[in-house]
Amino acid sequence: MTLGSCLSTQQKNWNDSISAAHRVADSYMKCAEMDETSNDVRTLGFTAQLLNNFAAKHGSFDKAYNAFGRVSDSAAITNPFDSQGHVSNFGPWIMDVFPLITAWYPEFPLKDLVSVQEMEKPLAWMFFSTLKTGTNKADTTIGEVVETATGMRTLKARYVTGEIFGEAITAADVRFDSTEKVSQVMLAYAPINLADDYKEKLLLSITVGGTATEYFYHSDSQGVITFAYDNAGTETVKDGLSLEIETGLLTYAEANDATATTIQSIDANYVWDLDYATTDNIPRVKEDVEKVEMVAKPRALMLEWTLFAEYLKKTQFGQDIQQDNLRRCLDLMYQYQVKYILDDMYTHAKGNSGAVTNINIPSSSTYSTDVKVQQVLEQLNAVANEIEIQSGRMSGNRIVIGRGFKAFLESLPTTYYKATADNSKAFSSPREIGEFGGFKVYYNPFFTNTWEGFMTYRGSEFYDAAYYMGMYMPLTTTDTVTLGVTAKQSFVSMEAYKYHKPNCVFKLKFQAA
């Protein structure tokens, strides 16, 4: 083959590469610039097909290669200049960079702050199970959350086992009969089970005038239970306290002149008859499944460099410019993703109705370090307990801070604040920096106010997080395009984001006090 033929063949390969890479880069850039609210069928179909073209995994790029035709870096095309030693092969390649890509995401800096999930398809669904009440029995209403991995738990001392401990009855639930001069209230569950094993469990605690008096089972006759002041039943109640077995109607008459405000509260322990356990008489719990959509959207970056820069790095620094620049692009993608997540979590936090909670740091020199740390942790733990109520799962255990509170933590002895082993070497970016009390601490240098921060929670299960990130084909490189002395290459990343529980993220502001 003549030198002219080699040049002609190589030129054709370059042209093919340019055409293929332009199609890829242009398509991705158009997707990245789309309005995120756009959901028309044509757009979604185009995006899905584009993703399928890049659906190769862990080093296999055959599907993408076949979809976009010949590229100059394929194994089937050789560079004649290499064998003759005329020039180095400045062309692109895929197999060398894919190991970098696949090793990149496992070290995602927020992987322990948010829930990072792999997605097999560009559209994924997450399912959350919530238990809710199905009856209007006692003080629960239909559809009220009972127990859930993602929300509040409400049991309200109601048990479906037939055994009741501490049924709470307030003064508002007590009805005063002006004719009979008695106060009456209905227990939630009836009839009462009077088996010998259960009689000793019947206990009433009635508060009148700020004083609580306990009443025990004494006897039952003609469907009515009477009470005693003591467990032995020797001091019987003679002031008109009785309980109907079939209806659960409790009648109370203090010296036969009860008034509507006499009873302040009643706590009742008893066992109700399980034969009474019909759909209408016990709380029915039903499962409600929430389906959350996650859609991966493309994000594109274009990298440019000159052949002179590539030659310089190879000859003088011994570095391959494509691998070096790829790492730079990966770091830049990191910055974009992490900053987006942290900004989104802070801006749209709904804990405490979105209001900022002040965390006061004692500044007086009269306070010892112990006292300062204790007071700060006490305030943080109060917020953590609020997150526990909102999540129904666990207390807040992650805080993201700015430069202000970071300086305070790093001034503390290691007995109070334990920095991560590699924190001193870490470059300035969002990352985990240490532990303070029961909290893992993350640093966000991008807070507008250096004393800003927020608290959230993270557990071992995928649903134990307020924020979710989905990855679909984490990052794809297109073929390099060489134009004159400037080389261009596109890097496309695919992610999905879902802010699922903003009520479990509380804004903080640290301030000297």
Side-chain angles (χ1 to χ4, degrees), residues 51-362:
L51 293 173
N52 285 332
N53 291 340
F54 279 86
K57 296 180 181 178
H58 305 300
S60 174
F61 205 69
D62 295 339
K63 193 169 184 179
Y65 169 68
N66 292 333
F68 293 105
R70 286 185 299 174
V71 290
S72 63
D73 61 334
S74 68
I77 300 175
T78 60
N79 190 334
F81 299 103
D82 287 342
S83 60
Q84 298 179 27
H86 290 169
V87 294
S88 297
N89 179 13
F90 297 113
W93 77 105
I94 294 298
M95 299 304 293
D96 290 346
V97 299
F98 252 88
L100 295 177
I101 298 170
T102 56
W104 180 56
Y105 264 90
E107 298 303 321
F108 188 72
L110 300 185
K111 64 182 179 180
D112 201 37
L113 178 69
V114 302
S115 180
V116 182
Q117 301 297 319
E118 293 185 1
M119 297 170 58
E120 294 295 326
K121 296 294 181 182
L123 177 63
W125 299 96
M126 294 187 297
F127 297 91
F128 300 93
S129 174
T130 303
L131 299 183
K132 297 182 177 180
T133 55
T135 52
N136 285 320
K137 189 63 179 174
D139 53 3
T140 61
T141 57
I142 292 178
E144 185 174 353
V145 173
V146 175
E147 186 177 27
T148 171
T150 61
M152 294 178 63
R153 291 175 171 173
T154 307
L155 294 179
K156 295 184 178 177
R158 306 306 192 210
Y159 300 84
V160 297
T161 59
E163 198 163 349
I164 306 297
F165 289 97
E167 177 179 323
I169 303 171
T170 64
D173 299 321
V174 179
R175 180 178 63 87
F176 177 65
D177 188 328
S178 59
T179 302
E180 299 293 334
K181 301 297 183 181
V182 295
S183 295
Q184 294 180 318
V185 66
M186 295 288 292
L187 298 184
Y189 301 95
I192 305 301
N193 193 331
L194 293 180
D196 290 338
D197 294 339
Y198 297 144
K199 290 179 180 179
E200 63 182 20
K201 295 182 181 295
L202 181 54
L203 172 66
L204 300 179
S205 177
I206 303 178
T207 301
V208 177
T211 301
T213 304
E214 291 187 338
Y215 300 92
F216 300 85
Y217 171 85
H218 176 255
S219 64
D220 61 275
S221 176
Q222 297 180 344
V224 177
I225 298 173
T226 57
F227 293 85
Y229 287 113
D230 62 324
N231 197 20
T234 57
E235 298 183 44
T236 59
V237 176
K238 303 183 184 302
D239 54 6
L241 180 62
S242 63
L243 176 63
E244 293 184 5
I245 295 175
E246 291 299 324
T247 63
L249 177 64
L250 180 66
T251 301
Y252 176 87
E254 180 67 36
N256 292 322
D257 61 353
T259 64
T261 59
T262 297
I263 297 179
Q264 294 171 299
S265 65
I266 301 175
D267 289 329
N269 296 356
Y270 58 94
V271 177
W272 56 283
D273 195 340
L274 285 177
D275 291 337
Y276 185 64
T278 64
T279 300
D280 296 331
N281 295 323
I282 62 172
R284 182 172 66 251
V285 178
K286 62 180 181 180
E287 183 180 30
D288 185 20
V289 177
E290 177 188 9
K291 184 172 68 172
V292 177
E293 176 188 83
M294 290 196 66
V295 181
K297 292 185 172 67
R299 181 199 306 269
L301 286 179
M302 181 73 75
L303 176 68
E304 296 185 11
W305 69 91
T306 64
L307 297 182
F308 174 76
E310 183 168 3
Y311 175 80
L312 186 66
K313 282 206 169 185
K314 282 185 176 180
T315 56
Q316 295 190 10
F317 300 101
Q319 295 178 350
D320 189 290
I321 196 170
Q322 292 198 43
Q323 286 188 342
D324 183 60
N325 285 335
L326 173 61
R327 290 188 177 92
R328 291 173 182 245
C329 274
L330 294 177
D331 290 340
L332 190 56
M333 290 284 191
Y334 258 177
Q335 295 287 345
Y336 284 171
Q337 293 167 348
V338 172
K339 187 175 187 304
Y340 173 83
I341 291 174
L342 294 178
D343 288 350
D344 194 20
M345 292 184 73
Y346 181 83
T347 302
H348 299 101
K350 294 183 179 178
N352 194 23
S353 301
V356 176
T357 300
N358 292 326
I359 304 297
N360 297 317
I361 305 173

